[in-house]
Amino acid sequence: MSTTLQSQQRAAVLKGLGTFLPERVVTNEELSQRLETSDEWIRSRTGIGQRHWASPGTATSDLAVEAGARALKAAGCQSVDAVVLATTTPDHPCPATAPAVAARLGLGTVPAFDVGAVCAGFVYAAATASSLIVAGVAERVLVIGAETYSTILNPEDRTTSVIFGDGAGAMVLQAGTAREAGALLGFDLGSDGSLPGLISIPAGGSRQKSDPTPPDPSDFYFTMQGKQVFAHAVNKMGDSCAALLERIGWSAQSVDRLVGHQANVRILHALADLLGVERARAFVNLDRVGNTSAASIPLALADAVEDGEIRAGDRVVMSAFGGGLAWGSTALLWPEINVITSH
Ligand code: UT7
């Protein structure tokens, strides 16, 4: 699925960005003490140096509220018309987490719902919010990506425990026109449901509960077939970015910053190579935060701005890929906005 906007057209415009990371930093060395792994393996195979994990008692909504409050403050607004929350780790299987987040942010009885597209969730949530705005249903929407992967990781699985981190990022999108800086210029979204087992939590849903065979306790944890996912991530984000760039009329060489889902630095470099974007333009912050799934794109955007790697006027392309399989890309000219982080 794809959309692009003409310059006069009503568009969703980025007005403020906020992020939150839980205080606890888990280093590669700490994980190496209880798992058969090493700082050398983790850094060389993924680029990850550390990640943040929430402390016991902290749920996804707690991180989402912190990031959402910062985004609202950054945008200088106290109200929105809707809240769209992307997460793989909702507070409960039922109800959705977004209504609780909206209530705790003092946003009243606005529509609030969750979007589940795993690591591609933030782009899907932004596309949903953008569609509400372009259709005239909403003037302003708070989009949040928040995760507590530490609650779904199998502590004995070195193939996933070293990869994922917790965190949240949020942005305020407001109605404007496609010619303004900050306007989301189009989306390319896709999925391939023929490969659901590459990234999954096998148990806990209706499929397992409808099965009389008792599940293995490890089936309640997150699993990933990393090698196969790697290849799909590069190819699907590559095709998605290329399709988006063609439709919005940007050459790969004109992209100032490629903000890809922070899963693996080797994926980010392979994606840049495939597109013909210089590797130095592929932003990397997974060394600091690991793979934060639906929170990955806003956390990367905020760090890129704070590092001076994204400046007003830059052409920024975002692309994400994850379980489903699901992927998506969007692009904007970076606006003059406030960014408020917790770190
Ligand atoms: O966020 C959603 C999207 N996710 C992604 O895009 C993730 C994509 N996949 C990846 O980033 C990589 O596949 C991983 C980082 C997950 C794994 O890297 P890899 O280079 O594909 O490693 P591998 O799975 O092929 O494993 C290579 C070796 C294996 O040992 P043998 O069979 O060669 O003896 C693994 O058992 O590395 C071993 N291994 C580890 N060794 C030390 C796997 N995990 C670890 C570990 N520490 N943590």
Side-chain angles (χ1 to χ4, degrees), residues 241 245 249-258 272-279 281 315 317:
C241 286
L245 288 174
W250 290 5
S251 67
Q253 296 70 34
S254 75
V255 173
D256 295 300
R257 202 58 61 191
L258 179 60
D273 293 349
L274 195 63
L275 290 170
V277 172
E278 279 173 62
R279 283 188 178 191
R281 296 187 179 200
R315 288 183 166 195
V317 173

Side-chain angles (χ1 to χ4, degrees), residues 35-42 44-48 118-120 149 157-164 199 222 224-234 237 261-267 291-294 296 320-323 325:
L35 288 166
E36 205 180 310
T37 189
S38 64
D39 179 57
E40 198 283 325
W41 191 95
I42 301 169
S44 63
R45 301 313 295 166
T46 71
I48 295 167
V118 197
C119 298
Y149 261 63
D157 181 0
R158 67 177 181 175
T159 68
T160 52
S161 281
V162 304
I163 309 275
F164 291 90
I199 293 176
F222 178 90
M224 179 170 73
Q225 307 306 316
K227 224 174 194 39
Q228 292 176 67
V229 170
F230 190 111
H232 285 290
V234 175
M237 284 196 288
H261 169 51
Q262 302 288 308
N264 188 317
V265 70
R266 294 185 290 132
I267 292 178
N291 180 341
T292 57
S293 191
S296 161
F321 174 89
L325 306 171

Side-chain angles (χ1 to χ4, degrees), residues 130-215:
S130 174
S131 305
L132 290 172
I133 289 171
V134 171
V137 176
E139 288 296 311
R140 199 190 284 146
V141 181
L142 178 62
V143 182
I144 308 175
E147 301 282 18
T148 46
Y149 261 63
S150 59
T151 62
I152 57 169
L153 293 173
N154 181 344
E156 290 170 11
D157 181 0
R158 67 177 181 175
T159 68
T160 52
S161 281
V162 304
I163 309 275
F164 291 90
D166 300 341
M171 64 188 188
V172 172
L173 295 177
Q174 186 170 300
T177 64
R179 69 157 62 135
E180 287 175 51
L184 296 178
L185 298 172
F187 288 91
D188 180 87
L189 305 174
S191 78
D192 180 354
S194 69
L195 299 164
L198 293 189
I199 293 176
S200 81
I201 301 176
S206 61
R207 178 63 64 202
Q208 171 261 312
K209 287 180 179 169
S210 68
D211 185 340
T213 319

